Amino acid sequence: MEATKNIIELCDGDIDKTFRKKQIYDAVFKKGVIDFAAISTIPKDLRNGLSQKFHILEVKEAARKESLDGTVKFLFKLHDGKYIESVFLIDKNNHVTFCISSQVGCRMGCVFCKTGTMGLLRNLSATEILSEVLYLYHFMAAEKGLKNQLFNIVYMGMGEPLDNFDNVMESVSLITNSAFFGLSASRITISTCGLVDKIDSALRRFPTLRFALSLNHSIQEEREKIMPIAKKISLDEIAVKLKKLYAEFKNRFTLEYVLIKNVNMNKKEIDAMQRFHHQAFHINLIPLNHSDDLVKRPEEKEIAYFMQELERRHFCVTRRYRRGADIDAACGELCYKENLDA
Ligand code: SAH
Ligand code: SF4
């Protein structure tokens, strides 16, 4: 795989006629074809020639798990033997979302997150990220029969996307490039543990890009206990910066709040949420999706109380339901055993 070049590097000199490039990219990025031999719009000898010099994908499906609710989790092997996971999500209206990874592991060490326990093994390149999207697109077209279907992307798989800033920005640039998927940046959400200066830089480059900020606690000292990054970037800083960015870009931010029993669901946390009572924010509650020695999933009635109390105070709040829970595909559960064994 390493010896050949990525398909996006295709130059006019590699093909006999310029229009061939468009035929090849249309087959790959519009139809979801991932095998040169299956690009029926170009001559056979060109297909053979291309496969000697180029590759289409940089991820290889190693395993998949399908959930009863339609969620499909893919385990991908990378060229160096490391693994990442990406998730295909589909709702009852056939709205499709690809949840993709940005790093192998993560160095942020949030205590409730399984990815955090493995540390950072390495960053993904822009073309590896593009390959995750392409493989899920191929799956959607070829296996789900959803051809030319629009989709959304969330950078909520393994890793902290803004800790791999340059490659993630380059991946957004490739995904939105009209020669490839041509997806609108407004369909892409980057989830971050709080690297707000990088949100600023990203919005200057892609003003319609969406951001989700993993808040998870509304009290500074308590947030530091569950998210080490909080020691470097305070809640005050986050609130001020995001409100400013909202005023400039008119782009609302989702605040993700993982509900953890006895940790962040009391009245004092609801009170402290006040600094985020602003039209710039929409709160998304995510009940912790597993319990272990350190953190516990709350009861249904505790979740309902927390949500109602925020609504009563006129916060804009929704609850995220677990998708793919039966296959371990919910957030934070992207498994890491394969990398430890590799
Ligand atoms: N590093 C980025 C993106 C990946 S994590 C970030 O932290 O935002 C994606 C989301 O999964 C985050 O909102 C995170 O708070 C959430 N998450 C992590 N562990 C979880 C768990 N055990 N249960 C539910 N959500 C979890
Ligand atoms: Fe990293 Fe996000 Fe997990 Fe924190 S929640 S350890 S930032 S992947």
Side-chain angles (χ1 to χ4, degrees):
M1 198 189 271
E2 289 84 348
T4 56
K5 287 198 279 184
N6 191 294
I7 185 87
I8 66 162
E9 296 172 89
L10 194 68
C11 299
D12 289 349
D14 295 313
I15 41 179
D16 52 354
K17 298 181 186 76
T18 307
F19 74 89
R20 292 262 179 249
K21 189 156 132 185
K22 183 163 170 12
Q23 286 180 312
I24 296 163
Y25 285 163
D26 280 354
V28 174
F29 296 102
K30 305 269 182 294
K31 298 213 170 74
V33 176
I34 53 167
D35 180 2
F36 288 114
I39 305 182
S40 53
T41 45
I42 59 169
K44 242 190 176 138
D45 52 345
L46 178 58
R47 296 182 220 169
N48 290 338
L50 285 171
S51 57
Q52 315 273 310
K53 281 168 72 182
F54 293 92
H55 57 264
I56 297 179
L57 286 170
E58 298 189 358
V59 299
K60 196 164 179 280
E61 181 179 333
R64 73 167 76 170
K65 279 189 191 170
E66 304 210 28
S67 163
L68 295 172
D69 66 14
T71 304
V72 186
K73 180 175 79 167
F74 292 92
L75 178 72
F76 289 130
K77 190 169 189 175
L78 304 171
H79 68 83
D80 59 355
K82 294 190 169 50
Y83 293 87
I84 52 163
E85 288 182 334
S86 315
V87 186
F88 174 90
L89 297 136
I90 184 162
D91 71 10
K92 51 184 186 313
N93 302 315
N94 270 3
H95 290 148
V96 170
T97 303
F98 301 162
C99 175
I100 57 171
S101 295
S102 54
Q103 296 180 312
V104 186
C106 179
R107 68 191 176 108
M108 299 299 158
C110 306
V111 298
F112 48 84
C113 173
K114 282 196 183 169
T115 307
T117 60
M118 61 191 283
L120 176 65
L121 302 191
R122 75 166 168 88
N123 284 329
L124 293 184
S125 68
T127 47
E128 284 172 327
I129 296 171
L130 181 70
S131 285
E132 291 181 71
V133 177
L134 179 55
Y135 197 87
L136 294 176
Y137 187 79
H138 159 77
F139 169 78
M140 177 171 78
E143 296 194 43
K144 290 280 176 184
L146 297 171
K147 303 203 190 296
N148 296 314
Q149 153 110 5
L150 268 173
F151 54 93
N152 295 314
I153 297 179
V154 292
Y155 285 71
M156 287 187 191
M158 267 189 182
E160 166 49 49
L162 299 185
D163 188 37
N164 180 18
F165 188 74
D166 292 345
N167 294 350
V168 164
M169 286 301 103
E170 182 57 24
S171 71
V172 172
S173 167
L174 292 173
I175 294 164
T176 54
N177 185 328
S178 59
F180 307 129
F181 287 110
L183 193 73
S184 158
S186 61
R187 289 188 169 273
I188 303 177
T189 301
I190 294 188
S191 181
T192 174
C193 59
L195 309 182
V196 281
D197 287 340
K198 302 244 167 96
I199 297 181
D200 186 318
S201 316
L203 281 173
R204 299 210 179 270
R205 188 154 167 206
F206 301 103
T208 61
L209 197 57
R210 311 198 67 86
F211 282 91
L213 188 125
S214 297
L215 185 65
N216 302 332
H217 215 297
S218 54
I219 301 171
Q220 178 60 26
E221 308 75 62
E222 301 297 320
R223 188 169 189 260
E224 289 175 16
K225 290 184 196 155
I226 59 170
M227 299 182 70
I229 189 70
K231 292 186 192 109
K232 298 207 178 114
I233 303 155
S234 73
L235 285 173
D236 284 337
E237 237 177 303
I238 291 176
V240 169
K241 187 92 201 193
L242 295 188
K243 284 177 196 172
K244 239 185 178 161
L245 288 174
Y246 174 76
E248 187 175 351
F249 292 95
K250 296 287 172 286
N251 219 341
R252 291 177 89 204
F253 296 97
T254 301
L255 298 177
E256 291 169 292
Y257 200 94
V258 178
L259 297 168
I260 312 172
K261 193 180 174 71
N262 297 333
V263 170
N264 59 1
M265 302 180 64
N266 304 306
K267 185 172 172 304
K268 65 179 192 316
E269 280 92 39
I270 299 175
D271 291 343
M273 202 74 103
Q274 201 54 36
R275 62 151 74 84
F276 292 105
H277 198 292
H278 189 279
Q279 55 192 359
F281 305 116
H282 171 269
I283 300 172
N284 197 353
L285 302 178
I286 317 166
L288 187 78
N289 52 29
H290 71 276
S291 290
D292 58 29
D293 295 347
L294 287 171
V295 285
K296 301 268 178 287
R297 184 180 163 85
E299 321 275 321
E300 271 309 312
K301 61 174 189 302
E302 295 170 297
I303 300 170
Y305 165 78
F306 193 80
M307 173 132 180
Q308 281 159 14
E309 198 49 34
L310 287 175
E311 280 173 341
R312 199 177 64 74
R313 298 180 188 205
H314 305 291
F315 280 94
C316 184
V317 53
T318 48
R319 171 178 175 180
R320 195 201 289 167
Y321 283 87
R322 300 173 82 189
R323 300 194 58 77
D326 54 326
I327 56 163
D328 242 28
C331 19
E333 294 192 12
L334 293 182
C335 78
Y336 51 92
K337 290 185 228 76
E338 288 80 3
N339 285 309
L340 300 184
D341 296 344

